[in-house]
Amino acid sequence: MVGQKMDIDEQIEEYIASQPEPKRSDMRALHQLTLQVLPGCKLWFTDGKNSDGKIVANPNIGYGSYTIRYADRTTKEFFQIGLSANKTGISVYVLGIEDKTYLAKAFGETIGKASVTGYCIRFKAVKDINTDVLQAAIKYGVESRDNK
């Protein structure tokens, strides 16, 4: 696609396809799961590069939208749910939750073999987690922002 800008769906597909198996299949399954939880949501793709083209983060598939309000009263639109492959597995980001202990308290015990922090659920493979619990965490993240 030289000279043409890819649309978001194409960027997402290319990103998922670039992953080695079994991570590729896991990423594809998680992408579909998130689309089922958030039908019709805004899709995002960030390639992890800064304005100079330097890689500063892992690429992310984003779902949904919320507005970040900064102390100086400026705002920025960003995705609510993020999906990213990393060296050791996969991360699902649930952004915008005000209580940074909630994810770990509510979902950490029942999600399976995953590390759960204030906004990130990290695991090696989909087979290691309870996807129903992951869906509940995603729904909570979006609904907690919708009520603001």
Side-chain angles (χ1 to χ4, degrees):
M1 297 200 99
V2 177
Q4 268 186 303
K5 186 172 166 75
M6 286 191 283
D7 73 16
I8 300 293
D9 290 325
E10 290 171 322
Q11 290 176 309
I12 291 169
E13 180 51 39
E14 184 176 276
Y15 173 59
I16 292 172
S18 74
Q19 302 303 313
E21 284 295 354
K23 194 180 290 185
R24 179 183 323 136
S25 293
D26 283 352
M27 291 287 289
R28 192 160 276 125
L30 291 166
H31 178 59
Q32 291 306 313
L33 177 139
T34 308
L35 291 174
Q36 288 172 3
V37 174
L38 306 172
C41 69
K42 178 176 181 173
L43 288 176
W44 302 65
F45 182 75
T46 59
D47 62 9
K49 296 176 184 174
N50 67 11
S51 59
D52 297 328
K54 183 180 177 201
I55 296 174
V56 295
N58 288 326
N60 266 282
I61 301 169
Y63 308 86
S65 173
Y66 79 102
T67 301
I68 301 169
R69 294 185 200 330
Y70 296 102
D72 67 0
R73 298 183 183 218
T74 59
T75 61
K76 177 181 176 183
E77 184 183 17
F78 207 67
F79 55 82
Q80 290 178 288
I81 306 299
L83 174 61
S84 181
N86 57 55
K87 289 180 184 175
T88 59
I90 297 170
S91 296
V92 175
Y93 301 100
V94 183
L95 304 176
I97 298 174
E98 290 186 22
D99 180 352
K100 298 302 178 207
T101 65
Y102 185 82
L103 275 184
K105 287 192 291 192
F107 305 106
E109 296 284 319
T110 56
I111 198 156
K113 289 171 59 177
S115 164
V116 183
T117 64
Y119 64 90
C120 181
I121 302 169
R122 185 174 295 119
F123 47 92
K124 188 170 181 130
V126 170
K127 66 179 176 50
D128 296 333
I129 63 163
N130 181 328
T131 56
D132 290 339
V133 174
L134 180 62
Q135 283 181 306
I138 290 169
K139 283 181 186 174
Y140 172 79
V142 172
E143 290 169 357
S144 73
R145 292 301 314 170
D146 287 348
N147 293 329
K148 296 284 172 219

